[in-house]
Amino acid sequence: MLCTNTTFYKTCCFVVNKIAFIYLTGFSKTGGIEKFNKNVLASFKELNTNAVAYSVYDDKCDEKYFHQNNFKGFGGNKKLFSISIIRNAKKYDTLLIGHINLSFVAYLVKLVNPSIKIILIAHGIEVWKKQKGKAEWLLRNANWILAVSNFTKHTLQASNPFVSSKKIKLLPNALDPYFAYPSKFKKPTYLLDRYNLQSDNKVLLTVARLSTEEQYKGYDRVIRSINKLGNSYPSIKYLIVGKADEKEHQRVKVLIQQ
């Protein structure tokens, strides 16, 4: 899938007239959720909707993805962000929430505009555990929950069994609409030199943030499996690309040495 575009609306299964998309970051940081948020914004622009976007941390948007006139960025000013969306709550018939950490703001918007429909995007670890307080309220009161995978859907339900499967719809991650396909697939010489590789090496690649708090991504299992794979593929190499906190970096280095 190249972009969420019409898939987004088919997934939601209703006609959106005036929608507010509230989210954390899309342009000021780089990550999976940020890519997803930019795809959603690009979908709104492509379909020429009346959507307005409110970002907690972005202070500007890229016009390629979304109209600047419909964008409100608050550069980390959470108080001003909350006041702005609550003040304008009655203008919208749908509230799309990019992260469950915005549950308290969603709760206040619902108080101001009781008829507003609520859609929550559920990405991963942030919804896998049992939710409490306003986060639980959001799961109970959302009209739809858009899960990026079946795993997230089932894990969310296992931890929060009060959530009906009927209101969880799948909306998988997608490629950036401006993703440029390479015209040549030959391994570049400068990358072979940089990572001390040969052209006949079989390369495994993981692109992920390495965090002590997120040791579920599986790269450590791949490291432990490399010796066994090496018997059948003696030229195999494994590259892990991504920022790492110091503790996780040291753990991975020990695994590699072992």
Side-chain angles (χ1 to χ4, degrees):
M1 193 183 337
L2 283 178
C3 186
T4 49
N5 51 53
T6 53
T7 306
F8 176 80
Y9 284 93
K10 290 177 182 178
T11 303
C12 292
C13 296
F14 64 91
V15 176
V16 173
N17 293 317
K18 295 181 179 179
I19 183 169
F21 175 35
I22 62 173
Y23 70 95
L24 298 176
T25 58
F27 302 101
S28 55
K29 291 184 179 180
T30 301
I33 293 178
E34 285 75 17
K35 291 285 188 183
F36 189 99
N37 289 339
K38 287 195 291 186
N39 278 359
V40 171
L41 291 170
S43 301
F44 289 142
K45 183 178 180 181
E46 179 184 340
L47 295 170
N48 196 28
T49 67
N50 293 320
V52 175
Y54 295 76
S55 172
V56 179
Y57 295 104
D58 292 341
D59 54 9
K60 58 184 178 180
C61 74
D62 187 332
E63 282 278 354
K64 288 193 305 183
Y65 294 90
F66 196 64
H67 298 296
Q68 184 69 44
N69 291 339
N70 290 357
F71 173 82
K72 301 178 186 297
F74 296 89
N77 190 328
K78 299 177 183 178
K79 183 177 181 180
L80 193 58
F81 164 84
S82 302
I83 291 173
S84 181
I85 182 61
I86 293 167
R87 181 179 293 166
N88 291 287
K90 291 186 178 180
K91 295 180 180 179
Y92 310 113
D93 56 26
T94 304
L95 182 67
L96 176 63
I97 304 165
H99 200 286
I100 199 167
N101 286 355
L102 294 171
S103 57
F104 184 68
V105 176
Y107 172 77
L108 295 177
V109 169
K110 188 71 171 177
L111 285 180
V112 174
N113 183 359
S115 64
I116 197 168
K117 294 182 177 69
I118 294 177
I119 307 171
L120 171 67
I121 299 171
H123 290 280
I125 191 172
E126 77 278 1
V127 294
W128 290 352
K129 60 185 178 182
K130 178 177 173 56
Q131 303 298 321
K132 299 178 180 179
K134 292 298 182 289
E136 179 184 346
W137 174 91
L138 181 54
L139 291 183
R140 290 184 181 276
N141 288 273
N143 297 86
W144 290 275
I145 298 172
L146 305 181
V148 300
S149 67
N150 269 312
F151 182 85
T152 286
K153 174 182 177 179
H154 297 316
T155 307
L156 184 158
Q157 285 185 290
S159 301
N160 304 275
F162 56 83
V163 178
S164 169
S165 60
K166 293 182 180 180
K167 73 176 182 180
I168 303 180
K169 301 182 182 296
L170 293 182
L171 184 63
N173 291 316
L175 292 178
D176 189 292
Y178 297 101
F179 177 80
Y181 286 96
S183 58
K184 299 179 181 179
F185 289 88
K186 185 177 180 180
K187 296 174 183 176
T189 302
Y190 76 95
L191 287 180
L192 294 175
D193 293 341
R194 179 186 299 174
Y195 297 110
N196 194 28
L197 300 172
Q198 303 299 317
S199 60
D200 63 344
N201 284 141
K202 292 187 180 296
V203 179
L204 294 178
L205 173 66
T206 290
V207 181
R209 179 177 60 243
L210 282 67
S211 170
T212 306
E213 298 178 354
E214 299 177 11
Q215 295 179 3
Y216 58 84
K217 297 180 178 179
Y219 47 78
D220 46 358
R221 295 185 181 183
V222 177
I223 293 171
R224 293 188 181 98
S225 303
I226 286 294
N227 280 338
K228 294 180 180 179
L229 291 172
N231 295 330
S232 301
Y233 305 98
S235 66
I236 196 167
K237 302 292 183 181
Y238 182 37
L239 299 181
I240 304 177
V241 180
K243 291 183 178 180
D245 63 44
E246 185 58 31
K247 187 174 180 180
E248 183 66 359
H249 189 200
Q250 291 303 318
R251 185 178 80 93
V252 170
K253 286 176 65 176
V254 169
L255 285 174
I256 292 170
Q257 292 166 1
Q258 291 174 347

